[in-house]
Amino acid sequence: MLTLKTYQQTALTVLTQFLTDTRSKSVADAYAETLAEQNRNDEAYQPLFDGVPCVCLRVPTGGGKTIMAAHAVAMAGKAVLDSDAPIALWLTPSDTIRTQTLEALADARHPYRQALAHYFGDRVQVCDLESLQTISPHDVGKAAIVIVATIQSFNVTDTAKRNGLLVFRGTGAAFR
């Protein structure tokens, strides 16, 4: 498995601590404390999802954001939900990147998939919105489920295209 660089591991450690802190205090307070530890007191938390932690890790181009995201699936699932089988919505900026990410996460030899396997073994299901119906309700809570999509894919006028997502949510597994 690819070893994370020090700055990548540090960023993920800070993220994990922030997410863990949100279990015992408000998201805004956890955010303020996290920034204070970095001597950054000039940024207010912007709540977007009514109590659900929402933050952004800033990493330069070529800094390994995707490998960090593969590790973050397990770390965030454990820190926020205390789950060894989280559901992650992995958003990409374009369809090209979505396709590349899907291929990498499906390839057992790829470092991204190896990062997921490090935490979940073979209990990983990867799909896109079009193949979401291949995920069984029995997989929820037993396997890490990673749904790879573009932000644009949620901007549809034909709501019938969302049926797979709504049915999946109807199983009690909401995207968090």
Side-chain angles (χ1 to χ4, degrees):
M1 183 175 71
L2 185 66
T3 303
L4 293 175
K5 295 182 170 103
T6 302
Y7 72 89
Q8 294 167 323
Q9 186 57 57
T10 300
L12 289 174
T13 299
V14 170
L15 173 65
T16 302
Q17 185 59 54
F18 161 71
L19 293 173
T20 301
D21 288 349
T22 64
R23 293 179 72 171
S24 61
K25 56 187 80 160
S26 75
V27 176
D29 287 346
Y31 183 80
E33 286 180 23
T34 300
L35 288 184
E37 289 171 6
Q38 301 172 41
N39 296 317
R40 296 172 52 208
N41 299 313
D42 57 342
E43 299 173 44
Y45 183 74
Q46 302 296 319
L48 298 175
F49 299 110
D50 193 27
V52 176
C54 181
V55 294
C56 178
L57 298 180
R58 293 181 188 158
V59 180
T61 301
K65 290 181 284 291
T66 308
I67 190 70
M68 290 174 66
H71 285 274
V73 168
M75 294 173 174
K78 193 69 171 165
V80 175
L81 303 172
D82 198 23
S83 175
D84 291 323
I87 298 172
L89 179 59
W90 186 309
L91 296 174
T92 63
S94 69
D95 195 54
T96 301
I97 301 296
R98 180 191 64 83
T99 300
Q100 291 171 355
T101 303
L102 275 167
E103 290 172 358
L105 292 174
D107 180 356
R109 297 172 297 165
H110 197 282
Y112 303 162
R113 179 57 179 244
Q114 289 175 352
L116 291 173
H118 173 75
Y119 300 100
F120 306 113
D122 61 355
R123 299 178 308 107
V124 178
Q125 299 264 349
V126 178
C127 66
D128 58 9
L129 289 177
E130 290 75 31
S131 63
L132 187 57
Q133 67 274 10
T134 64
I135 303 295
S136 163
H138 300 292
D139 293 327
V140 177
K142 294 183 179 135
I145 300 170
V146 181
I147 304 155
V148 183
T150 63
I151 294 171
Q152 297 84 352
S153 63
F154 289 96
N155 186 18
V156 296
T157 54
D158 180 4
T159 57
K161 293 181 180 177
R162 293 184 180 158
N163 283 346
L165 179 61
L166 295 175
V167 169
F168 187 70
R169 287 196 69 196
T171 66
F175 295 110
R176 300 173 194 187

